[in-house]
């Protein structure tokens, strides 16, 4: 425990999503961490969200790893992995069907099945496509002089990669974009109502699924997209896709998954649907945030930008540093299963515990001069892809997408400049 005292304004800055609109609250985090690597955060009602019971924020690197590694003490299943509690018991039951929100042995079984589907051959095939697609996307804006980096260049790459993993036909890919917006942007009205897909261009599966698109209720709001009602069209589509792939398997990862067996069990249609949902969200917004975030960081550090231009051999390290400095995932939640303690702080069974990747990545105990963006940093033990049993399943493909995109941007466009203040999602 440190000797500094905890300031309520710093706790609110850490907790309130509105803070992040203007940037991550690193100064507040540093002051809080100086008081101790685990702090108690109240959850007052903010931004239309009801008050919550409060939670423990884990801000140290070692403590983050400790919590993430120990599923027996810190469960993903008990309360799910989102900081805000699901609104209704049935919504908690719904998120618990997803591997992200499971503990061993259920979680171990699904990881085992997926490891049979993510074969080196299947992953390598997707990897080849990533390099070519990044080149093509950057080339399409190269002569323009100005563009929206997120919408015009970056956004298509993760959607295309996910569509390949999931075996979604080319003409239905826009659906993935809308679904991901709906889930990730649920705190932001414009994103939550995302509706860019043209059914006329989609397959029959897409049209049938869209007939189940959730409609606003009497109060004009859409059902919570973290519930099954809020994603009825996604589930209908995933169901039809699973039937189609069982009948006519392709060489995509989801077709391999449907044929895989682990200790004599196979994936059920219900499990496939929730995996489809998890992938559609996990592999999309993370990169749509991480690549522009990394480029913005480079622009804000011109000497590092120049260094990377002069030394393309630093690309791998630069991408790791971008991920450390601008983690696309800010925090994940666990729930204590027993009375326990972390770094001497007592935590009661049932308490919410949130690890902040954002804070762990700048822990001075592990990263010398942690606020310095340094594309030569090595070693770089950031936790942006998590740690332990839930370590990101897409980390390899995510790194490849970031490296390919950054390399093409530097190679084809050279030096980027801001054409206005970036607007952040809340
Ligand atoms: C820069 C991009 C990405 C970041 C920062 C990221 C981050 C994370 C993190 C922190 C977790 C751990 C969650 C936890 O501890 O509860 C995770 C899990 C996961 N990620 Fe990623 N991710 C990225 C890209 C991707 C991609 C491209 C895919 C799919 C191809 C993907 C699929 C998954 C899945 C399926 C899980 C759940 C694993 C499990 O529960 O065992 N992610 N990711």
């Amino acid at each position: 425990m440190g000797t500094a005292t905890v300031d309520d304004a710093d706790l609110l800055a850490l907790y309130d999503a509105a803070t992040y609109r203007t940037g991550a609250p690193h100064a507040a985090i540093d002051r809080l961490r100086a008081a101790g690597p685990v702090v108690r955060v109240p959850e007052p009602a903010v931004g239309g969200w009801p008050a919550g019971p409060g939670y423990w924020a884990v801000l140290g690197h070692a403590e983050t790893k400790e919590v993430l590694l120990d599923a027996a003490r810190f469960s993903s299943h008990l309360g799910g992995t989102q900081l805000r509690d699901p609104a209704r018991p049935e919504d908690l039951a719904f998120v618990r069907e997803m591997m992200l929100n499971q503990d061993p042995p259920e979680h171990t079984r699904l990881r085992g099945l997926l490891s049979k589907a993510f074969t080196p051959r299947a992953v390598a095939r997707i990897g080849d496509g990533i390099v070519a697609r990044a080149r093509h996307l950057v080339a399409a804006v190269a002569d323009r002089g100005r563009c929206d980096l997120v919408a015009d260049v970056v956004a298509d790459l993760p959607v295309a990669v996910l569509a390949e993993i999931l075996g979604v036909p080319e003409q239905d890919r826009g659906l993935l974009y809308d679904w991901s917006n709906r889930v990730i942007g649920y705190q932001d009205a414009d994103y939550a109502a995302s509706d860019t897909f043209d059914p006329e261009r989609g397959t029959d599966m897409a049209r049938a699924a869209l007939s189940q698109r959730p409609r606003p209720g009497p109060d004009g709001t859409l059902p919570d997209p973290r519930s099954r009602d809020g994603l009825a069209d996604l589930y209908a589509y995933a169901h039809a896709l699973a039937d189609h792939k069982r009948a006519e398997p392709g060489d995509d990862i989801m077709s391999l998954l449907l044929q895989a067996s682990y200790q004599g069990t196979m994936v059920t249609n219900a499990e496939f649907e929730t995996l489809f949902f998890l992938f559609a969200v996990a592999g999309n917004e993370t990169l749509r945030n991480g690549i522009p975030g990394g480029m913005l960081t480079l622009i804000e550090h011109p000497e590092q930008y120049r260094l990377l231009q002069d030394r393309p051999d630093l690309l791998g390290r630069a991408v790791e540093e971008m991920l450390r400095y601008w983690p696309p995932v800010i925090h994940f939640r666990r729930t204590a299963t027993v009375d326990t303690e972390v770094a001497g702080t007592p935590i009661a069974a049932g308490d919410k515990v949130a690890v902040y990747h954002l804070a762990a990545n700048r822990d001075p105990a592990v990263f010398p001069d942690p606020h310095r963006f340094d594309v030569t940093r090595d070693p770089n033990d950031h936790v942006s892809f998590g740690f332990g049993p839930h370590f990101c399943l897409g980390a390899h493909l995510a790194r490849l997408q970031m490296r390919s995109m950054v390399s093409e941007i530097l190679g084809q466009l050279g030096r980027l400049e801001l054409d206005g203040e970036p607007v952040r999602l809340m």
Side-chain angles (χ1 to χ4, degrees), residues 68 76 81 99-100 107 111 118 162 165 278-279 282-283 286-287 323 328-329 332 334 357 383-387 389-395 397-398 401-402:
L68 290 179
S76 294
T81 49
M99 73 185 295
L100 182 71
H107 175 256
R111 284 286 289 214
F118 272 80
L162 283 170
I165 292 176
L278 174 61
F279 273 84
T286 41
L287 283 153
L323 284 162
V329 171
F332 259 113
R334 299 292 188 261
H357 308 77
V383 289
S384 293
F385 289 117
F387 188 71
H390 289 274
F391 182 79
C392 177
L393 260 172
L397 287 173
Q401 289 182 70
M402 287 191 70

Side-chain angles (χ1 to χ4, degrees), residues 66-393:
E66 179 185 336
V67 169
L68 290 179
L69 195 57
D70 196 344
R73 265 195 308 153
F74 299 104
S75 165
S76 294
H77 189 64
L78 266 184
T81 49
Q82 300 299 299
L83 189 53
R84 293 185 193 281
D85 288 318
R88 305 171 304 175
E90 58 266 41
D91 297 341
L92 176 59
F94 163 73
V95 297
R96 280 171 157 181
E97 289 168 16
M98 212 181 306
M99 73 185 295
L100 182 71
N101 302 313
Q102 290 180 353
D103 298 329
E106 291 79 9
H107 175 256
T108 320
R109 173 178 162 271
L110 281 173
R111 284 286 289 214
L113 281 163
L114 276 160
S115 70
K116 303 215 165 162
F118 272 80
T119 58
R121 192 159 151 260
V123 172
R125 196 174 50 79
I126 296 173
D128 293 344
I130 289 175
V131 177
R133 198 172 282 269
R135 181 161 306 151
H136 173 76
L137 285 167
V138 175
V141 298
D143 295 331
R144 277 209 225 159
R146 58 165 52 185
C147 70
D148 177 337
L149 190 67
V150 184
D152 302 343
V153 186
V154 170
D156 273 358
L157 184 63
V159 172
V161 172
L162 283 170
E164 280 191 36
I165 292 176
L166 299 170
V168 171
E170 180 94 36
Q171 59 270 45
D172 292 351
R173 291 184 175 181
L175 282 170
L176 292 171
Y177 182 78
D178 283 343
W179 288 329
S180 174
N181 277 352
R182 213 188 289 164
V183 175
I184 300 287
Y186 70 95
Q187 301 188 70
D188 191 309
D190 293 344
Y191 270 78
S194 180
D195 182 14
T196 59
F197 182 71
D198 175 7
E200 289 310 312
R201 296 183 45 209
T203 60
D204 289 346
M205 273 189 312
R207 271 188 295 280
L210 277 179
S211 67
Q212 303 204 28
R213 190 168 201 273
R215 307 268 166 239
D219 62 352
T221 61
L222 285 163
D224 188 335
R226 299 168 306 157
S227 70
R228 202 173 179 114
D229 296 345
L231 289 165
D233 47 349
L234 178 148
Y235 274 81
Y237 188 87
H239 192 96
L241 191 67
D243 283 347
H244 171 68
K245 289 194 176 300
R246 283 192 201 280
E248 289 174 45
D251 53 6
D252 54 88
I253 287 180
M254 289 295 156
S255 288
L256 294 175
L257 177 66
L258 286 165
Q259 297 160 50
S261 87
Y262 178 80
Q263 296 181 347
T265 63
M266 295 181 79
V267 162
T268 64
N269 261 23
E271 285 171 336
F272 179 86
E273 289 165 26
T274 46
L275 278 170
F276 183 94
F277 168 42
L278 174 61
F279 273 84
V281 175
N284 194 357
E285 174 60 21
T286 41
L287 283 153
R288 206 167 52 178
N289 175 310
I291 298 171
M295 285 310 303
L296 179 62
T297 310
L298 262 191
I299 293 170
E300 287 170 345
H301 297 82
E303 78 299 342
Q304 295 294 307
Y305 203 140
R306 254 190 310 278
L307 180 59
L308 186 55
Q309 281 182 301
D310 292 346
R311 292 202 37 205
D313 60 297
L314 289 174
L315 183 68
R317 283 191 201 174
V319 163
E320 296 310 307
E321 180 66 345
M322 288 172 176
L323 284 162
R324 181 189 76 87
Y325 204 83
W326 180 294
V329 171
I330 293 174
H331 51 61
F332 259 113
R333 173 245 179 109
R334 299 292 188 261
T335 305
T337 58
V338 289
D339 291 345
T340 182
E341 62 173 56
V342 175
T345 303
I347 294 178
D351 280 358
K352 271 202 250 192
V353 179
V355 295
Y356 275 76
H357 308 77
L358 183 71
N361 282 356
R362 302 224 189 170
D363 184 342
V366 174
F367 302 98
D369 203 358
H371 296 301
R372 194 176 126 74
F373 176 68
D374 176 1
V375 296
T376 69
R377 192 179 287 274
D378 184 43
N380 190 341
D381 189 19
H382 67 75
V383 289
S384 293
F385 289 117
F387 188 71
H390 289 274
F391 182 79
C392 177
L393 260 172

